[in-house]
Amino acid sequence: MGRNSAGISGQNARSDNYYNRQGGHAASSRRGRYRHATVRWDDTPRTNPGRNKFYRSSDACPSQHLQRRSVNLAQDFNALTKQAIMDDLVSKSYRFGDRYDGRNHGQYASSIKKYTSAVKRPLNRAEQSQLIRLLQNFTATRSWNWRSLTTTFHSFTSAGVFTPHNPMDERVKLTQANLLSTLLDAIIFNCNQKPQARDIDARGIANLLWAMAKLVGNGLEQTPEFNEAVAALLPHVNALKANFKPQGIANLLWSMAKLVDNGQDRTPVLKKAVTTLLHRVNTQNAGFNLQETTNLLWAMAKLVDKGLERTPALNRAVAALLPLVNEQNNPFIPQHIVNLLWAIAKLVDNGLEQTPKLKEAVAALLPLVNEQNNQFIPQHIVNLLWAMAKLVDNGQEQTPKLKEAVAALLPLVNEKKNQFIPQHIANLLWAMAKLVDKGEWTSEFKEAVAALLPLVHEKKNQFIPQHIASLLWAMAKLVDNGGWTSEFNEAVAALLHHVNAPKANFKPQEIANLLWAMAKLVDNGLEQTPVFNEAVAVLLSYVNTQKDLFNAQGIANLLWAMAKLVDNGQEQTPELKEAVAALLRHVIAQKVNFNPQEIANLLWAMAKLVDNGQEWIPGPKEAVTTLLPFVIAPKANFKPQEIANMLWASAKLVDNGQEWTPQFKKAVVVLLQQVKTEKANFKPQEIAILLWAIAKLVDNGEWTSEFNEAVVTLLPFVIASKANFNSQEIANLLWAMAKLGELIELNVVTSTFKSLVEGINGNPQFSQQAILMSLWGVMVCCARLSLVPNTSKSNVLEKHIDDLFDRLENTFPDNEEDQRTIALAASWLGRACPVVPHYQTIVSKRQSDFCDQLQSCIPSLRIEEEKSLNSLPPVDLLLPDHNMVIEVQGPSHYVGGDFKTRNGSTLIKIALLQKAGFEVIEIPVNRLWNQDLMKRCIDQIKTRRGIPPQGHGSVSLKRRWPDAAYVTVDKARQPSDHGSLTAEEHSEEQTGKPAKRKKTNSQ
């Protein structure tokens, strides 16, 4: 009631000024500081028997003797709700006024609690309604003593007097609110007395905060008056800290956690009270029983999860409590097991180290899950599976005990499926997705998921935004691990409509999770329907409006998701480009907050976006430059998959214009060194990605010893894992090894190719692109074999060229590179070419100068430049009268531009020219540095044509096959050594100075 309403005594309430009057008691009529409504009742006439009789406040009510009565199961609840009881209480309060201390009211409240304890349940709706009608005149005043207040408040809360039911009569609600208001007002008044004169004790503080937490947990609104009462009580926690017993400490921390969990502000006073209690946990840890240990760990986990800093005091408190889990002699009830595992999982998820003590506690609890699995209610099942999933997600090993516990719970999901509320369904699917992602997709998991998916569709209108985000994330993870069924399609379709709903109010983390999930689903084959595209557009608009609210993880997930969506055909709309640009700025701003996985995902995403048409503007460039130092950092601890993805990203970025800056080179070197360190931990898919990336990086950069070591490290695992590569991975490996050309030893290439191509023929999963990549790779391998004398040519590999070409019959790709591959294969097989490839001709100045010099020295020589022969790439110089081809080889013809190691493209061109009957002379462009060197090369060509050298005697033609740093010729056709420069000539070309000559025997 308000300040101006009349109390039981009939006296008017005093003015507001009196509430703050020093040293004075409030009127006994003060019913509460916030007016709800005036409650009317039929006042008993003053002529009633007993009304003129005077009783001291310490006397018992003579008509009922409430404090002497025992309540048991046989007692009729009606005996507690007789009007005579309330008449007695009203009479006491009326007669004694300011001298009434409220003890009879407290005793009555206690009797209600005794009844509920006896029947082992709180008041049901009918009992509560019956009692509340009686309590219309049950009013607390400021004159009540501390014990009466705490007993009344705690008893009524524990008995369920204030519990809101749905539906509830408005008069019942109003009476509840008024009664609660008067109690809160008296509590605030007592707490604010200076000096303390109200006998405030530790037990009362603990009971009151427990009761308030319970009320909030039951759905009571936290009104300003309620918050003021909490704020008034908290300083007394610090003041009375030495008086709290173990049970009080446990109840207080539990209460504060519950209040914070329901929206209570984490004020400095609350934080100080928590810190005080944590120190008391450390000093009294030996006195906590199992229930208290459970409540304490739960409370600390909840407080940390709600933003309380994980201080040294909290870490010490947790460390002190964990051994008690193993030492308890009392039997664990299901609630203990659930709360303890949940609390440990939540603490670990918020950064608590998984110490031996923690692992021992988990190991002690897991067998109990198996033992008591038939006693768990639906909420327990959900919390247990969530806790185990969180522990596994944070590094907990999937021990036999943990697997047994999970296996014991999964059948219960199917058994109790109709009892799960929407939140349960969301948490269960999330937990199962996480466990499957870290383990095995067993039949038990499949059955449990199959039981839950129809419920998603059935309860689709009951899910809140958080549930929708969790569900779509979970389904994406399950599908990514091979669990796609028609039920998934229906569930996803049902949820997407809610993403598009106008009232959907997603938090930043949920937006990130949703876009990540949708990207994953599309990557696994989900059709991009109009509803799907609309959901993406809606979420992108959220990204743009909430761009400043995303944390580091959200930024990384969003950019990864957008890259994946674009890679699967999502149009790069203005909204998407705007979102990418906004997030890239935040990559730079939040650079220090990204963990290794997020750094890897960001680099992958930027590479994928750029590869799909994103402009290579300052945004991506700056973001890449910002992240590179964190790749190089000594403490960077990347997992194998992250190493593979970052090398893939590096290769793609270089392929799209990334400069080989010193920092970029260093990052690549660091990653290559980690390839060697983690060699035994890479999966087949990652091995294929790594070799592809290395080949691409070498093709666009400089060959170093680190590249060589990484390749040598990975090749044995290629053969060992041959049965585990899918079609695309086989194609990538064949392409990569072919691209590396002569870098890899021929016998290694041959044996590896033979082991890989077994999985090609008859495999319907090979896409056209994979067939083209494989065809090119196998041709390069055959080309190497054909260019080396005295080696057995592989008929097996030759047959694969034929088989792969047949699978491309009537294929007319638009891609020029694919057209060239088909043309090369047709030429190799001697078949008609189904396509006419287009080749771009570029004549370098060195080539042009050499041609002029050659023509000048041999005027009668007929020379044709950039001539295309049999659909092959055009040759640099053709001497048609001599059936000879001269190739001026620039750095792009060699691995890493080293002018020594020919790459796959060069090998296949030379081999095909030889198959066509041409003699081929290769001249590295660095051999044409000046006219003197050109002259020497021309003299060698004259020698090949039978014309004696002119002007500077004979030249040593000692050949060094397969070292391609020299002018080389077809070794099979010309067994004599011709067509190379000496080592002295090579040195002279490199330095520009005459080299010291060694005497050589003339041939």
Side-chain angles (χ1 to χ4, degrees):
M1 295 182 71
R3 292 185 181 278
N4 298 324
S5 60
I8 294 174
S9 66
Q11 298 173 358
N12 291 329
R14 295 174 183 155
S15 66
D16 286 345
N17 292 334
Y18 183 76
Y19 182 79
N20 296 316
R21 193 181 72 182
Q22 293 184 354
H25 286 294
S28 61
S29 61
R30 299 295 299 274
R31 310 192 69 190
R33 300 183 58 205
Y34 296 88
R35 181 180 182 87
H36 297 287
T38 302
V39 179
R40 300 182 180 275
W41 65 89
D42 295 328
D43 197 5
T44 307
R46 290 182 182 271
T47 56
N48 282 355
R51 287 300 299 264
N52 296 321
K53 204 170 185 178
F54 184 85
Y55 298 102
R56 291 170 303 181
S57 63
S58 59
D59 290 340
C61 178
S63 62
Q64 297 296 326
H65 301 281
L66 290 172
Q67 78 277 22
R68 296 178 190 156
R69 297 183 55 182
S70 63
V71 180
N72 53 49
L73 287 172
Q75 180 161 359
D76 184 2
F77 178 71
N78 292 329
L80 296 172
T81 54
K82 290 181 177 179
Q83 185 61 43
I85 297 176
M86 192 53 57
D87 290 343
D88 256 336
L89 294 176
V90 170
S91 176
K92 287 276 191 298
S93 182
Y94 181 84
R95 285 180 179 279
F96 299 129
D98 287 349
R99 291 175 294 126
Y100 179 61
D101 60 9
R103 73 174 57 193
N104 297 113
H105 284 69
Q107 289 163 357
Y108 178 70
S110 184
S111 70
I112 301 296
K113 180 187 172 186
K114 285 181 182 179
Y115 168 75
T116 57
S117 297
V119 296
K120 298 181 179 178
R121 59 166 177 78
L123 298 175
N124 58 38
R125 189 189 306 174
E127 290 169 339
Q128 183 197 60
S129 181
Q130 183 181 348
L131 179 64
I132 287 289
R133 282 196 293 272
L134 185 71
L135 295 180
Q136 290 180 76
N137 301 324
F138 189 105
T139 305
T141 67
R142 292 177 175 178
S143 66
W144 283 21
N145 64 32
W146 179 253
R147 184 170 182 180
S148 297
L149 278 173
T150 56
T151 299
T152 302
F153 198 97
H154 182 271
S155 296
F156 276 169
T157 301
S158 182
V161 173
F162 296 124
T163 302
H165 290 288
N166 189 24
M168 180 180 283
D169 184 86
E170 285 301 318
R171 291 183 64 191
V172 173
K173 271 189 192 177
L174 189 59
T175 305
Q176 277 183 331
N178 282 328
L179 175 56
L180 189 58
S181 179
T182 62
L183 285 166
L184 291 172
D185 178 70
I187 290 167
I188 294 166
F189 178 80
N190 272 263
C191 288
N192 290 337
Q193 292 303 293
K194 295 180 182 179
Q196 297 241 344
R198 290 291 178 160
D199 227 8
I200 293 175
D201 67 330
R203 182 178 179 181
I205 294 289
N207 284 349
L208 283 173
L209 282 169
W210 178 91
M212 291 178 177
K214 200 73 173 172
L215 286 173
V216 169
N218 286 329
L220 183 78
E221 182 187 356
Q222 288 175 280
T223 61
E225 186 178 21
F226 182 94
N227 291 333
E228 187 179 349
V230 172
L233 287 166
L234 287 174
H236 295 285
V237 175
N238 294 317
L240 299 170
K241 59 186 177 184
N243 299 332
F244 289 113
K245 296 177 181 179
Q247 183 182 5
I249 296 168
N251 284 355
L252 279 168
L253 269 172
W254 180 92
S255 305
M256 290 183 212
K258 198 70 172 173
L259 288 166
V260 167
D261 191 40
N262 284 281
Q264 183 75 32
D265 289 337
R266 298 186 305 276
T267 60
V269 178
L270 187 141
K271 290 178 181 178
K272 187 176 180 182
V274 169
T275 303
T276 297
L277 292 168
L278 289 174
H279 288 297
R280 299 298 297 167
V281 171
N282 288 320
T283 57
Q284 297 200 32
N285 66 307
F288 295 114
N289 62 28
L290 181 54
Q291 180 69 56
E292 292 155 4
T293 302
T294 303
N295 286 356
L296 283 166
L297 283 169
W298 181 94
M300 287 186 265
K302 185 60 79 173
L303 286 166
V304 168
D305 194 48
K306 291 296 179 179
L308 187 74
E309 186 183 355
R310 198 166 51 79
T311 59
L314 186 138
N315 290 337
R316 285 194 298 270
V318 172
L321 291 170
L322 285 173
L324 301 182
V325 177
N326 288 326
E327 295 168 8
Q328 295 292 344
N329 295 320
N330 296 329
F332 287 83
I333 61 172
Q335 188 72 53
H336 294 158
I337 300 165
V338 175
N339 285 1
L340 282 167
L341 276 170
W342 183 93
I344 293 170
K346 186 59 83 172
L347 286 165
V348 167
D349 195 45
N350 281 287
L352 184 71
E353 185 184 352
Q354 294 201 39
T355 59
K357 288 180 181 178
L358 186 142
K359 290 178 180 177
E360 287 172 14
V362 171
L365 290 168
L366 288 173
L368 301 177
V369 175
N370 210 4
E371 291 172 15
Q372 300 195 34
N373 67 325
N374 60 342
Q375 299 179 45
F376 294 121
I377 62 173
Q379 179 74 57
H380 295 163
I381 297 165
V382 176
N383 287 359
L384 283 168
L385 281 168
W386 182 93
M388 286 185 259
K390 266 297 175 190
L391 286 168
V392 166
D393 193 40
N394 284 287
Q396 171 77 31
E397 185 184 352
Q398 292 212 39
T399 60
K401 287 181 180 179
L402 189 139
K403 290 179 180 178
E404 287 172 13
V406 170
L409 291 170
L410 288 175
L412 300 179
V413 173
N414 202 3
E415 181 184 321
K416 298 181 184 289
K417 61 184 178 183
N418 294 325
Q419 299 177 45
F420 293 120
I421 61 174
Q423 184 181 1
H424 293 164
I425 296 165
N427 287 356
L428 279 170
L429 278 168
W430 181 93
M432 286 189 274
K434 189 61 80 173
L435 287 165
V436 166
D437 193 46
K438 299 287 183 177
E440 191 179 350
W441 187 220
T442 63
S443 58
E444 289 84 1
F445 274 112
K446 291 178 183 177
E447 289 174 12
V449 170
L452 291 172
L453 285 176
L455 300 179
V456 174
H457 193 268
E458 180 185 322
K459 297 180 184 286
K460 60 187 177 185
N461 296 322
Q462 300 176 43
F463 293 113
I464 61 174
Q466 182 185 1
H467 299 161
I468 294 166
S470 293
L471 283 166
L472 278 170
W473 183 94
M475 285 188 267
K477 263 295 176 193
L478 289 166
V479 165
D480 199 41
N481 283 286
W484 193 278
T485 63
S486 58
E487 287 82 4
F488 273 100
N489 287 338
E490 293 174 8
V492 170
L495 293 170
L496 287 177
H497 287 285
H498 291 282
V499 176
N500 300 334
K503 293 181 180 179
N505 185 22
F506 295 105
K507 296 176 183 175
Q509 183 182 354
E510 293 159 4
I511 295 166
N513 286 354
L514 279 167
L515 271 170
W516 181 95
M518 293 169 74
K520 258 301 178 196
L521 287 165
V522 166
D523 198 42
N524 281 286
L526 182 72
E527 184 184 356
Q528 289 174 283
T529 61
V531 174
F532 180 95
N533 292 332
E534 186 184 347
V536 171
V538 167
L539 291 170
L540 287 174
S541 68
Y542 291 154
V543 173
N544 289 322
T545 56
Q546 299 189 39
K547 55 182 178 282
D548 297 328
L549 303 176
F550 292 105
N551 60 19
Q553 183 185 11
I555 293 165
N557 284 356
L558 281 168
L559 280 169
W560 182 95
M562 290 182 211
K564 186 59 86 171
L565 286 167
V566 166
D567 197 42
N568 281 285
Q570 182 73 32
E571 185 184 352
Q572 293 204 40
T573 60
E575 291 81 8
L576 188 140
K577 290 179 179 178
E578 184 184 345
V580 169
L583 292 170
L584 287 175
R585 289 192 289 271
H586 286 286
V587 170
I588 297 166
Q590 295 204 40
K591 58 186 178 182
V592 297
N593 299 325
F594 295 112
N595 63 31
Q597 182 184 359
E598 290 156 4
I599 292 167
N601 285 355
L602 282 167
L603 285 170
W604 182 93
M606 283 183 271
K608 186 60 81 173
L609 285 166
V610 168
D611 196 46
N612 280 287
Q614 174 79 25
E615 293 181 26
W616 188 230
I617 52 176
K621 279 186 181 179
E622 290 175 11
V624 170
T625 303
T626 297
L627 293 172
L628 288 176
F630 298 97
V631 179
I632 302 166
K635 293 183 180 179
N637 186 22
F638 295 106
K639 296 174 184 175
Q641 183 184 5
E642 293 158 6
I643 296 166
N645 285 352
M646 282 193 290
L647 274 170
W648 181 92
S650 302
K652 272 295 177 187
L653 288 168
V654 165
D655 210 30
N656 284 282
Q658 169 70 39
E659 296 178 12
W660 281 86
T661 62
Q663 199 174 46
F664 185 83
K665 285 182 181 178
K666 192 172 182 182
V668 170
V669 167
V670 167
L671 291 170
L672 290 170
Q673 290 167 342
Q674 291 187 31
V675 169
K676 192 174 179 182
T677 306
E678 295 285 343
K679 59 186 178 183
N681 299 322
F682 289 110
K683 298 175 183 176
Q685 180 188 14
E686 292 155 4
I687 294 169
I689 290 172
L690 283 167
L691 280 168
W692 181 93
I694 290 169
K696 183 62 79 170
L697 285 165
V698 168
D699 194 43
N700 286 288
E702 181 181 350
W703 179 256
T704 63
S705 59
E706 286 83 7
F707 278 109
N708 187 63
E709 289 174 8
V711 171
V712 171
T713 296
L714 292 171
L715 285 176
F717 294 97
V718 174
I719 298 174
S721 303
K722 63 182 180 181
N724 299 317
F725 293 115
N726 64 28
S727 57
Q728 187 60 54
E729 290 156 8
I730 291 171
N732 285 349
L733 285 167
L734 293 173
W735 181 92
M737 295 181 70
K739 198 72 177 174
L740 292 170
E742 293 174 318
L743 179 70
I744 306 172
E745 292 180 14
L746 183 59
N747 62 333
V748 175
V749 171
T750 308
S751 60
T752 307
F753 268 59
K754 285 180 179 178
S755 68
L756 288 173
V757 294
E758 293 171 3
I760 296 177
N761 282 348
N763 188 335
Q765 296 179 352
F766 266 74
S767 64
Q768 179 179 306
Q769 188 61 39
I771 293 170
L772 285 162
M773 291 175 71
S774 303
L775 178 61
W776 186 84
V778 175
M779 278 195 291
V780 170
C781 185
C782 291
R784 280 197 68 182
L785 287 167
S786 71
L787 291 173
V788 179
N790 304 321
T791 59
S792 60
K793 310 306 183 240
S794 175
N795 293 329
V796 174
L797 292 175
E798 292 272 2
K799 185 174 186 311
H800 278 295
I801 296 176
D802 193 57
D803 293 337
L804 289 166
F805 189 81
D806 286 341
R807 292 176 71 172
L808 290 171
E809 192 173 0
N810 300 321
T811 297
F812 305 99
D814 295 329
N815 184 288
E816 289 185 357
E817 187 176 346
D818 295 340
Q819 291 177 356
R820 292 167 194 164
T821 300
I822 292 173
L824 292 172
S827 179
W828 188 279
L829 297 170
R831 297 193 192 182
C833 184
V835 294
V836 180
H838 171 73
Y839 296 104
Q840 187 177 3
T841 58
I842 300 175
V843 180
S844 69
K845 187 175 185 305
R846 295 278 178 89
Q847 176 185 325
S848 181
D849 291 346
F850 178 74
C851 181
D852 293 342
Q853 187 79 3
L854 180 62
Q855 191 73 74
S856 175
C857 290
I858 314 175
S860 62
L861 187 65
R862 190 154 62 97
I863 306 172
E864 296 183 24
E865 288 190 79
E866 297 300 322
K867 181 73 173 180
S868 186
L869 305 169
N870 300 329
S871 297
L872 297 178
V875 297
D876 294 338
L877 302 176
L878 172 66
L879 310 183
D881 297 334
H882 300 276
N883 213 32
M884 182 182 289
V885 167
I886 298 172
E887 286 287 284
V888 178
Q889 309 287 47
S892 64
H893 290 269
Y894 302 94
V895 176
D898 66 354
F899 291 105
K900 297 178 182 178
T901 311
R902 291 181 294 187
N903 61 26
S905 299
T906 304
L907 291 169
I908 199 169
K909 182 179 180 182
I910 301 305
L912 281 169
L913 286 168
Q914 290 185 7
K915 281 176 72 72
F918 293 97
E919 180 182 345
V920 183
I921 295 177
E922 298 174 69
I923 305 176
V925 73
N926 66 349
R927 289 283 153 275
L928 305 176
W929 184 261
N930 53 44
Q931 287 204 353
D932 187 44
L933 289 172
M934 285 187 191
K935 182 71 172 172
R936 294 178 185 179
C937 290
I938 291 169
D939 285 347
Q940 292 184 52
I941 294 169
K942 286 182 179 180
T943 302
R944 297 292 296 274
R945 296 181 62 249
I947 302 174
Q950 301 174 11
H952 48 267
S954 63
V955 177
S956 171
L957 300 178
K958 185 75 174 176
R959 298 184 63 239
R960 302 185 182 184
W961 189 268
D963 189 345
Y966 306 95
V967 178
T968 56
V969 296
D970 175 8
K971 194 167 185 179
R973 286 171 165 274
Q974 301 289 337
S976 58
D977 290 328
H978 294 291
S980 66
L981 298 181
T982 63
E984 291 80 3
E985 291 167 335
H986 175 68
S987 173
E988 183 175 332
E989 188 279 329
Q990 291 287 349
T991 61
K993 299 178 181 179
K996 293 182 179 180
R997 306 291 182 186
K998 289 184 179 179
K999 291 184 179 180
T1000 59
N1001 295 324
S1002 176
Q1003 287 185 309

